Amino acid sequence: GHSIMGGVLWDATAKLNGSLKAGYSWKDYDDPNQEKIDSWSFDIDLIHNISPYIFSILATHSASSSSVI
């Protein structure tokens, strides 16, 4: 399969930063019985630096996947 993504990084404050990416994925199969995949995808990451040694991360991801039975 193939995918292409673009996005932005930001430093909102000294303690908060993150990234936002969006893109498109596609995959074609040689088997005509297998359905091709075309879908949008995204990633969002937020990082909160509580102290120089402690941080928390909130992350989400959306993408399509396939399986063959």
Side-chain angles (χ1 to χ4, degrees), residues 28-61:
D28 291 320
Y29 294 95
D30 293 331
D31 182 356
N33 296 321
Q34 184 70 31
E35 188 175 331
K36 72 178 186 172
I37 296 172
D38 291 308
S39 67
W40 294 98
S41 59
F42 70 88
D43 291 323
I44 300 172
D45 298 315
L46 292 174
I47 302 169
H48 180 237
N49 297 302
I50 299 166
S51 76
Y53 305 105
I54 301 171
F55 60 91
S56 62
I57 299 173
L58 173 64
T60 184
H61 173 78

